[in-house]
Amino acid sequence: MRTICFRSPVMLLGIAVILALPSAVSAQPKLSADNIDQVIKAMTLEEKATLCVGGGRAVTTGGVSTGITDLVRGAAGSTRKIERLGIPATVLADGPAGLRIDPTREGTSDTFYATAFPIGTLLASSWDLSLVEETTAAIGNEALEYGVDVLLAPGQNIHRNPLNGRNYEYFSEDPLLSGKMAAAYVRGVQSNGVGTSIKHFALNNQETNRNENDALVGERALREIYLKNFEITVKESSPWTVMSSYNKLNGEYTQQSTDLLTGFLRDEWGFDGMVMTDWGNKDDTPAAVRAGNDLMEPGNAVEIERIIAAVRDGSLPEADLDRNVRRILEYIVKTPSFKGYRHSDKPDLKAHASIARRAAGESIVLLRNEGGTLPIRANGQKVALYGESIVDFVAGGTGSGTVNKAYNVDMVEALTNAGFKLDPSIVGFYDEYVRFNDAVLALSGTQRTYRYGISKFDDPAVPRSAIDLHAQNNDLAVIVLGRISGEGSDRNMDNDFNLTEVERQLVSDVHAAFHALGKKVIVVLNIGGVIETNSWKRMADAIVLPWLPGQEGANAVADVITGKVNPSGKLPMSFPIDFMDHPSSANFPYNQVKTNTPFGTARPAGSNEKDVDYTRYEEGIWVGYRYFETKGTELSYPFGYGLSYTSFSYGSPELKATPDGGFVARITVKNTGSVAGKEVVQVYVNAPSGGLEKPSVELKAFGKTRLLQPGESQVLTFEVSNYDLASFDESASQWVTAAGTYTVYFASNVRDLREKASFRLKNPGVVKVHSPVWGHSTPAPSF
Ligand code: BGC
């Protein structure tokens, strides 16, 4: 045993302090799920402010390092650690078509690729909640295994207008479909014990000047269309977090709106998670704290200082800060980082690739199939394959929704794998074209960027004489029309919604040359948003719509073309004849500045440009099919449309009113064709007016059968509550389910209403809600 000899009283004192220290340190609480109150009490003001501000902008290759390098490279953001209190940093990464992190890291030859899954719009085209849940469970597993705590997804803004550059990330023009899809997405990801951040809350419906744009929306449209999907998702799936948007809503930044972040989200819908900003904050950080925006992302030191100063000068009650800190701590204790999960960095990418392929195949929409053109057995048939996109197939959109995938199957590979023989002269032509254009960029030291904006080469013209030759040498033609779009800019009407002159000519020449010889023409639409189809669709025998289907999507297209998969996807939005048919087109920047105003680049002082500085949602609730069906507008393809290689009959529905004033309905669906297939049944309701103008029909439920063999049937059941049937009465600040007769349609698409039933509601249902007080400068609009 060692003897300690005390030489002086000073030394004695020193030792007494050292001996006392362990008990002082242990008196400091270390965060656990049951001592959050104690931890908040122990926190200094500086620590509280620090926790509410993210750890800085993500490090991207060549970028500046600001704090989260040591966590997961290429993740979008983090929360800061406070070691003293046992609070670890946590990691936030995009979303939504797969995890976005850097695929390589210095100092290791290991790779960190993620799987590029189908985009949100394609997942929604499946109308299959269990398929979405299964797919996103795989996305969540990649987040978990790469050390990410929250996936910044799903994106669920409503497809108000076809030209929003980010529609590809979002689900639908309909709030019920969007809300249910997002809920399934959240359940899938969160089943891994990692979180989601449903975004962008709310009204981020255009990219043009998205940081400053003021969305001027009436309360009925807001509640019935733009918030309804978030409400459904919050109530049905309890997402860990919500991301507020960049834009303003009725005069106020959404990240500073108490009405939105507290009134609607928490008080009305019962959300009990954390709210974070989108990746950039406004000057008035204390206003965001007060409003209930708990976490500022990506976060910088100035924001911490602003919070501290505001508490010190009394303009920000410390209780508000404490409330937000509590929500952040409640989030942190749920995370894998807090629980010390040892991630493998080795998710099963092979298994996930096959999930991605199946999800794409189950969701692809068959728009046209004249005379049973498809499926086609490959059998070594010779194919003339056209379009820049055949070698430059687009798996997903640009911006934060990009996924760094290990590979991307293109149409050349996919059709070859499936057993077709591709005309090598045509493939060679497109291959050289894309390589040449890449080389031109390389010459000036640049390369195609997939960050913001559109980085696809225009289709080159193909001489008619060559097409005539191809028609002689091949058995059929496949044309791939491609579009890329994404974060930071909107699409335009002239050569993005509408086909370019070169594309138009290609379709028409291929149609003329191949049809003259009795050979078929198939068009594949590799697009992120709706395009014009009416003027040229009759020139194609079949049209296949895979949207942007992920890294295995081209294989899924081949699966549908050859009949390995019987298509069962249906459109989650309407395809109009003309862009201007959408009422929102009157208030959408389709031929102005298309880009977002970058941070730090202010709009000219006092600028007040329509559809850029502000956008009036004058169409109110008349979005998508709600408008088209009520007006009887001619469409190219209606909402909910999609063909199958088999046919289905619907039996007589049974419908029972429920005690709460809703209904339960059952219908039998039978496969009456000759191959196995799945059918999506859509339940639309026509409601009595009760003094309000209402759409002729609204989607109130949907279901998809399992794979039914020929002759096999399945009963689908739908439950709709009284509240689900309500419309919002602005004048009385209440949801009202009007008394009267409700007609319930069972439909294959919104224009193919197969069966109907009805029920009477004796007494109206009423749910009173709070009246929002909008932005200081702008009165609530009345449309
Ligand atoms: C996007 C978000 C994304 C975030 C982090 C923002 O610019 O709007 O959707 O999650 O960046 O990358």
Side-chain angles (χ1 to χ4, degrees):
M1 200 190 182
R2 254 178 89 193
T3 316
I4 301 172
C5 156
F6 302 113
R7 294 219 183 114
S8 70
V10 174
M11 195 173 168
L12 251 184
L13 188 66
I15 285 174
V17 169
I18 290 165
L19 288 177
L21 210 54
S23 67
V25 169
S26 69
Q28 275 187 5
K30 292 280 181 204
L31 180 66
S32 80
D34 351 283
N35 73 348
I36 290 178
D37 281 335
Q38 228 185 317
V39 169
I40 297 175
K41 272 202 200 102
M43 286 174 94
T44 63
L45 175 58
E46 287 74 8
E47 285 169 336
K48 291 175 187 172
T50 300
L51 193 68
C52 291
V53 174
R57 204 159 266 286
V59 178
T60 46
T61 318
V64 185
S65 163
T66 47
I68 60 164
T69 347
D70 53 337
L71 297 173
V72 177
R73 254 198 106 91
S78 63
T79 59
R80 295 177 194 243
K81 68 176 165 204
I82 302 177
E83 244 167 302
R84 184 178 82 85
L85 299 166
I87 302 173
T90 66
V91 182
L92 322 168
D94 292 301
L99 181 68
R100 183 173 67 87
I101 56 172
D102 286 354
T104 53
R105 294 179 194 166
E106 279 152 27
T108 171
S109 57
D110 288 351
T111 55
F112 304 83
Y113 288 107
T115 308
F117 290 88
I119 57 164
T121 303
L122 181 57
L123 289 180
S125 305
S126 73
W127 294 66
D128 185 339
L129 299 177
S130 43
L131 177 86
V132 173
E133 208 170 317
E134 191 193 325
T135 307
T136 59
I139 301 180
N141 173 265
E142 293 190 12
L144 177 72
E145 291 307 335
Y146 279 131
V148 168
D149 296 290
V150 172
L151 185 83
L152 304 170
Q156 62 176 126
N157 295 92
I158 290 290
H159 289 187
R160 169 182 179 247
N161 187 274
L163 295 189
N164 177 11
R166 289 187 89 172
N167 274 354
Y168 83 91
E169 294 181 63
Y170 308 147
F171 298 112
S172 173
E173 68 186 21
D174 178 79
L176 177 83
L177 183 58
S178 166
K180 295 267 180 193
M181 282 290 149
Y185 190 116
V186 168
R187 286 193 297 266
V189 171
Q190 292 191 175
S191 66
N192 292 280
V194 296
T196 51
S197 196
I198 61 174
K199 66 189 188 184
H200 308 88
F201 192 58
L203 280 297
N204 186 176
N205 297 105
Q206 65 180 65
E207 287 299 284
T208 304
N209 194 32
R210 67 170 168 173
N211 294 340
E212 300 297 325
N213 177 263
D214 190 2
L216 302 174
V217 196
E219 192 178 344
R220 180 172 176 200
L222 191 64
R223 287 184 177 270
E224 289 188 15
I225 309 289
Y226 297 102
L227 299 186
K228 184 48 96 180
N229 54 343
F230 285 99
E231 177 184 350
I232 292 171
T233 309
V234 164
K235 289 180 174 171
E236 293 189 4
S237 65
S238 305
W240 285 14
T241 83
V242 170
M243 186 189 294
S244 55
S245 57
Y246 287 123
N247 53 282
K248 291 180 189 161
L249 165 59
N250 292 337
E252 199 171 27
Y253 290 115
T254 59
Q255 56 179 250
Q256 296 172 3
S257 168
T258 305
D259 262 315
L260 195 64
L261 305 186
T262 299
F264 287 94
L265 185 62
R266 298 179 192 279
D267 297 347
E268 284 194 22
W269 309 341
F271 177 69
D272 62 358
M274 171 177 91
V275 175
M276 68 178 85
T277 60
D278 199 345
W279 260 233
N281 301 298
K282 313 300 174 183
D283 292 345
D284 195 351
T285 313
V289 176
R290 270 194 302 269
N293 196 121
D294 310 304
L295 177 66
M296 313 299 146
E297 283 296 329
N300 64 50
V302 170
E303 288 157 344
I304 301 178
E305 284 159 24
R306 285 186 197 137
I307 296 172
I308 295 171
V311 172
R312 290 214 172 113
D313 73 17
S315 59
L316 174 63
E318 191 157 356
D320 287 4
L321 185 60
D322 287 355
R323 173 199 64 195
N324 296 5
V325 165
R326 174 187 313 281
R327 290 180 195 140
I328 297 173
L329 291 175
E330 282 167 355
Y331 146 73
I332 289 175
V333 297
K334 293 193 282 193
T335 59
S337 288
F338 178 78
K339 293 178 175 166
Y341 181 74
R342 293 165 71 91
H343 56 273
S344 64
D345 283 334
K346 301 249 169 313
D348 189 346
L349 296 181
K350 211 161 161 217
H352 293 175
S354 72
I355 294 175
R357 178 173 179 165
R358 195 166 74 77
E362 294 284 316
S363 313
I364 286 173
V365 185
L366 181 64
L367 288 178
R368 186 173 170 86
N369 195 19
E370 288 306 289
T373 298
L374 296 180
I376 290 182
R377 281 192 196 294
N379 280 347
Q381 290 207 67
K382 288 189 265 172
V383 177
L385 181 59
Y386 295 98
E388 187 261 5
S389 301
I390 67 167
V391 288
D392 195 19
F393 197 71
V394 191
T398 65
S400 58
T402 305
V403 179
N404 295 313
K405 53 204 169 294
Y407 64 87
N408 182 21
V409 177
D410 64 22
M411 285 297 294
V412 173
E413 205 181 331
L415 291 183
T416 308
N417 288 344
F420 290 101
K421 291 228 164 349
L422 306 187
D423 187 323
S425 66
I426 312 176
V427 173
F429 166 73
Y430 286 109
D431 210 23
E432 301 260 320
Y433 172 78
V434 169
R435 277 202 278 165
F436 172 77
N437 278 287
D438 277 330
V440 170
L441 291 178
L443 202 60
S444 43
T446 54
Q447 57 180 357
R448 286 198 271 171
T449 159
Y450 291 94
R451 183 71 191 140
Y452 284 152
I454 295 166
S455 42
K456 206 164 162 48
F457 302 123
D458 288 342
D459 256 291
V462 183
R464 171 63 197 264
S465 54
I467 296 176
D468 285 335
L469 187 69
H470 304 152
Q472 282 167 24
N473 294 343
N474 292 281
D475 302 312
L476 72 141
V478 177
I479 304 173
V480 182
L481 297 176
R483 294 277 183 283
I484 195 162
S485 60
E487 186 174 350
S489 63
D490 290 315
R491 298 166 57 213
N492 62 52
M493 179 175 73
D494 293 339
N495 56 8
D496 194 331
F497 182 80
N498 294 328
L499 297 199
T500 63
E501 272 317 307
V502 169
E503 288 170 329
R504 214 171 267 292
Q505 195 63 49
L506 179 71
V507 173
S508 131
D509 286 350
V510 170
H511 145 72
F514 280 74
H515 286 158
L517 301 180
K519 296 175 179 177
K520 303 287 189 192
V521 176
I522 300 163
V523 174
V524 175
L525 297 179
N526 181 208
I527 53 180
V530 175
I531 63 167
E532 187 277 320
T533 48
N534 192 56
S535 67
W536 57 266
K537 67 185 180 190
R538 289 167 200 84
M539 295 188 220
D541 300 290
I543 303 178
V544 180
L545 171 60
W547 299 109
L548 310 181
Q551 68 188 53
E552 286 283 343
N555 279 333
V557 173
D559 291 341
V560 165
I561 288 179
T562 56
K564 200 166 155 190
V565 169
N566 182 356
S568 59
K570 298 207 177 179
L571 292 178
M573 79 295 280
S574 321
F575 270 51
I577 302 269
D578 191 275
F579 169 73
M580 293 310 294
D581 292 347
H582 270 284
S584 64
S585 296
N587 292 284
F588 192 88
Y590 62 90
N591 61 16
Q592 307 182 36
V593 200
K594 303 290 181 314
T595 50
N596 175 37
T597 310
F599 287 113
T601 325
R603 295 270 303 147
S607 74
N608 197 27
E609 193 180 340
K610 175 181 175 315
D611 305 336
V612 177
D613 295 294
Y614 65 91
T615 302
R616 296 168 66 81
Y617 285 47
E618 273 170 347
E619 71 282 358
I621 60 163
W622 304 106
V623 176
Y625 75 84
R626 284 172 166 71
Y627 174 79
F628 297 133
E629 297 318 302
T630 309
K631 290 279 171 203
T633 314
E634 201 191 329
L635 290 168
S636 189
Y637 295 107
F639 179 78
Y641 181 86
L643 301 172
S644 165
Y645 298 150
T646 189
S647 52
F648 298 95
S649 70
Y650 293 21
S652 306
E654 282 169 36
L655 189 140
K656 265 203 291 194
T658 49
D660 91 315
F663 67 86
V664 176
R666 282 152 55 92
I667 194 159
T668 305
V669 180
K670 183 173 180 190
N671 182 348
T672 50
S674 55
V675 291
K678 297 181 178 180
E679 169 71 333
V680 173
V681 176
Q682 300 152 38
V683 177
Y684 295 95
V685 171
N686 170 274
S689 83
L692 293 176
E693 224 190 328
K694 291 186 184 171
S696 59
V697 287
E698 287 185 287
L699 183 75
K700 292 297 171 189
F702 57 90
K704 191 167 186 172
T705 66
R706 62 176 183 271
L707 188 73
L708 296 178
Q709 297 302 322
E712 200 186 346
S713 3
Q714 184 182 347
V715 177
L716 294 179
T717 304
F718 309 96
E719 279 179 47
V720 175
S721 73
N722 184 272
Y723 180 64
D724 295 337
L725 294 168
S727 300
F728 189 71
D729 180 355
E730 264 181 35
S731 61
S733 276
Q734 59 192 20
W735 289 96
V736 181
T737 311
T741 302
Y742 287 77
T743 310
V744 180
Y745 297 98
F746 301 83
S748 183
N749 69 62
V750 75
R751 293 219 165 151
D752 184 5
L753 309 174
R754 299 278 183 89
E755 292 291 329
K756 65 177 179 181
S758 62
F759 79 101
R760 260 192 79 72
L761 183 68
K762 279 211 201 92
N763 304 311
V766 174
V767 177
K768 193 100 195 137
V769 290
H770 91 288
S771 296
V773 186
W774 292 119
H776 325 290
S777 54
T778 318
S782 57
F783 37 80

